[in-house]
Amino acid sequence: MASVSMNALDGGRTTIASERLESLRAGLRGRLCLPGDPGYDEARAIWNGMIDRRPAVIVRAEVADDVVAAVNFARDNGLQLAVKGGGHNIAGNAVCDGGLMLDLSPMKAIQVDAAARTARVAPGVTLGELDQATQAHGLALPVGINSTTGVAGLTLGGGFGWLSRKLGLTIDNPSAVEIVTADGKKRHASEQDDPDLFWAVRGGGGNLGVVTSFQYRLHPVGPEVFAGLIVHPFDQARTLLQGYREVAAKAPEDLTVWVVLRQAPPLPFLPTEWHGREVVVLAFCYIGGVAKGEAAIAPLRALGKPVAEHLGPMPLVGWQTAFDPLLAPGARNYWKSHDFKDLNDGAIGAVVDAVGRLPGPECEVFIGHLGGAINRVPVAATAYPHRDIQFVMNVHTRWREASQDAPCIAWARGLFDATTPFATGGVYVNFMPEDERGRVQAGAYGPNFARLAALKSKYDPRNLFRLNQNVAPA
Ligand SMILES: Cc1cc2nc3c(=O)[nH]c(=O)nc-3n(C[C@H](O)[C@H](O)[C@H](O)COP(=O)(O)OP(=O)(O)OC[C@H]3O[C@@H](n4cnc5c(N)ncnc54)[C@H](O)[C@@H]3O)c2cc1C
């Protein structure tokens, strides 16, 4: 192996002698990949097709000691360090050009203790893999809505989906983490041990260290839920969204209803004349028992005149993959997101206006339904601070050709600007694109930023973990 020129933490370049790399390689259970090696391209590929970066060295970790080795190597040699879990983050910080990439995706262990209702989960596990393992025991963790998202990145930023109104955010459910901090130490953090660190990792993203294991509390759910899609014509969008806001406000915590506005994909239950036309989709999941599902969604079904619906009892693991075909990896993507306490007519008008001018067939607006158990947690209890919002809007701009970058990004920014007066100013850190670093302090962390920055100084004073929505040391 030859020596390798790499990007340094301070922004310059540094040469790493071949003996050092050989010694790193020799100490790993997992693999060290250089450009051209088998596994290199697989490891550096992430969900957002706009990000195409080439690390100088990739460590494909298999055990916590590999993580320690990579963190020590990056720190001792002053190298840029990127950390990849499931590779879904829109900002693309999981991969870097010319630095050291620590790929956790080979770490796949899941241990479910059905009697204790807990799971110990390694950081390369995806949501679908976790759902399969927990639902085998009729248990579940509240996570996101796409089965290929990584548990690690989702948890560290917050994590919400169909179960969160009843069971809280993903970060409201871990009881402990094992984490490797910038000094290379393996630490156990929980409410009892290192409670400050445990507070900070619950929302603080990858700023504090590399989590090598999550211990979660699980809940009995399903295995069947009452879920489905109700599809409406777009010309009813304004009144539908007004009706939706009333239904959402009165919904029991067992019921979660998201709205998707986009051109209709060729869903098998949708008459073909609707394929490709703008629609409003009410997507819902009721977890209070399938026998009660029909009654629970009656107010939702009373809205407007749908063109088609597909709903009923179905396995939770199946519903958790319902959106996968629309969210497959590889496309070019750009997101903008706002939090809302309510959806007033101004916000609804801006969304309807923008969806009337979609820049492409895969572009969409998601409105996620929060509240419930999420909002019963005090703001200061975790680094994630947004405990008073009811809705999250995520503008999912998605397209295939680089020539479409400018119009698609401009459309997303236009809708973001038009809805800004009605939003809280807060933002979910996991929905922030790369160009939103200016929103980290006030938007992502707000009242919790100062404590997070102080803990960053304590655990990572040199900001080794900076390729993330970065909280600089205080
Ligand atoms: C299609 C799609 C659907 C989504 N749906 C939802 C949803 O329903 N609900 C929701 O809450 N979010 C959702 N998200 C957002 C998702 O939570 C974030 O993209 C999250 O960061 C993904 O985690 P990851 O491990 O896959 O990503 P990665 O890109 O691998 O990781 C993101 C960042 O987290 C850090 N990181 C990852 N693993 C570790 C670790 N073990 N230790 C320390 N730092 C680490 C790194 O800084 C990394 O840059 C969705 C994203 C996509 C692309």
Side-chain angles (χ1 to χ4, degrees):
M1 188 190 305
S3 56
V4 174
S5 172
M6 296 186 68
N7 280 349
L9 201 55
D10 63 10
R13 299 281 291 172
T14 182
T15 300
I16 304 297
S18 56
E19 304 79 53
R20 285 204 213 160
L21 285 171
E22 282 300 355
S23 133
L24 172 63
R25 189 201 295 269
L28 296 175
R29 170 91 71 86
R31 298 185 49 186
L32 185 145
C33 294
L34 300 177
D37 285 349
Y40 174 85
D41 284 325
E42 180 198 337
R44 75 184 185 88
I46 61 169
W47 181 81
N48 186 356
M50 289 188 84
I51 312 286
D52 179 18
R53 297 191 185 132
R54 303 185 67 81
V57 177
I58 301 178
V59 169
R60 304 201 74 186
E62 286 189 8
V63 291
D65 283 340
D66 290 350
V67 174
V68 172
V71 166
N72 285 341
F73 193 82
R75 186 198 58 242
D76 292 347
N77 292 288
L79 299 175
Q80 260 188 20
L81 175 65
V83 179
K84 176 184 171 186
H88 260 217
N89 198 276
I90 187 72
N93 288 313
V95 58
C96 57
D97 269 326
L100 175 67
M101 174 180 179
L102 173 56
D103 174 21
L104 305 168
S105 63
M107 297 178 71
K108 289 287 190 191
I110 304 174
Q111 291 162 271
V112 176
D113 182 335
R117 292 184 178 165
T118 61
R120 180 182 291 275
V121 181
V125 170
T126 62
L127 306 190
E129 291 161 348
L130 181 62
D131 284 335
Q132 291 280 356
T134 55
Q135 280 287 278
H137 305 278
L139 299 170
L141 177 74
V143 290
I145 65 154
N146 178 227
S147 76
T148 58
T149 301
V151 167
L154 176 122
T155 301
L156 293 170
F160 52 77
W162 302 112
L163 313 183
S164 303
R165 285 171 40 74
K166 177 79 174 186
L167 303 172
L169 297 173
T170 313
I171 48 147
D172 298 331
N173 289 280
S175 49
V177 296
E178 307 290 332
I179 180 169
V180 177
T181 42
D183 54 9
K185 282 203 178 120
K186 285 193 236 172
R187 297 172 195 261
H188 177 86
S190 67
E191 295 286 5
Q192 293 74 37
D193 304 326
D194 236 331
D196 279 345
L197 185 57
F198 189 55
W199 177 88
V201 294
R202 286 176 292 157
N207 275 290
L208 280 302
V210 184
V211 175
T212 55
S213 173
F214 297 87
Q215 177 88 24
Y216 295 106
R217 289 185 293 272
L218 304 176
H219 307 268
V221 181
E224 286 209 314
V225 295
F226 195 91
L229 306 173
I230 306 175
V231 183
H232 290 264
F234 179 67
D235 61 13
Q236 295 176 23
R238 204 173 293 264
T239 45
L240 256 177
L241 286 172
Q242 287 165 339
Y244 162 72
R245 126 184 116 195
E246 304 306 320
V247 172
K250 293 185 193 138
E253 291 178 4
D254 286 316
L255 177 63
T256 299
V257 188
W258 288 30
V259 185
V260 186
L261 300 104
R262 58 169 292 141
Q263 290 179 6
L267 298 166
F269 66 91
L270 199 60
T272 47
E273 65 266 27
W274 281 93
H275 296 179
R277 287 170 66 180
E278 281 80 18
V279 288
V280 181
V281 181
L282 302 175
F284 68 86
C285 181
Y286 178 76
I287 61 170
V290 290
K292 292 191 267 172
E294 191 101 30
I297 64 153
L300 199 62
R301 277 173 114 182
L303 297 177
K305 291 199 182 74
V307 291
E309 58 180 26
H310 175 73
L311 51 85
M314 60 185 81
L316 174 66
V317 287
W319 178 241
Q320 282 285 87
T321 62
F323 287 91
D324 287 5
L326 297 179
L327 299 170
R332 301 176 81 78
N333 289 272
Y334 181 78
W335 290 0
K336 290 296 268 187
S337 181
H338 272 312
D339 287 349
F340 295 92
K341 286 189 184 164
D342 69 288
L343 281 181
N344 65 21
D345 287 350
I348 288 174
V351 169
V352 172
D353 178 53
V355 175
R357 297 177 285 104
L358 287 171
E362 295 185 76
C363 297
E364 60 192 10
V365 179
F366 259 73
I367 299 174
H369 183 196
L370 306 183
I374 302 168
N375 291 8
R376 286 198 292 274
V377 177
V379 171
T382 60
Y384 173 98
H386 313 292
R387 300 296 187 168
D388 59 352
I389 60 168
Q390 298 295 328
F391 302 100
V392 170
M393 176 189 73
N394 198 7
V395 185
H396 279 188
T397 327
R398 183 176 166 88
W399 65 100
R400 300 285 158 174
E401 302 297 332
S403 60
Q404 291 305 299
D405 288 4
C408 288
I409 291 171
W411 177 80
R413 289 182 179 152
L415 175 50
F416 174 82
D417 290 344
T419 43
T420 297
F422 315 110
T424 62
V427 61
Y428 176 35
V429 72
N430 275 349
F431 285 172
M432 290 166 65
E434 201 179 9
D435 59 8
E436 286 200 333
R437 291 181 190 238
R439 292 180 90 192
V440 171
Q441 178 164 350
Y445 295 112
N448 291 342
F449 182 82
R451 183 174 176 198
L452 195 52
L455 290 167
K456 175 78 174 177
S457 306
K458 178 173 174 194
Y459 290 101
D460 185 16
R462 287 183 54 209
N463 206 5
L464 176 65
F465 303 109
R466 67 179 65 182
L467 293 183
N468 43 45
Q469 297 297 357
N470 196 229
V471 176

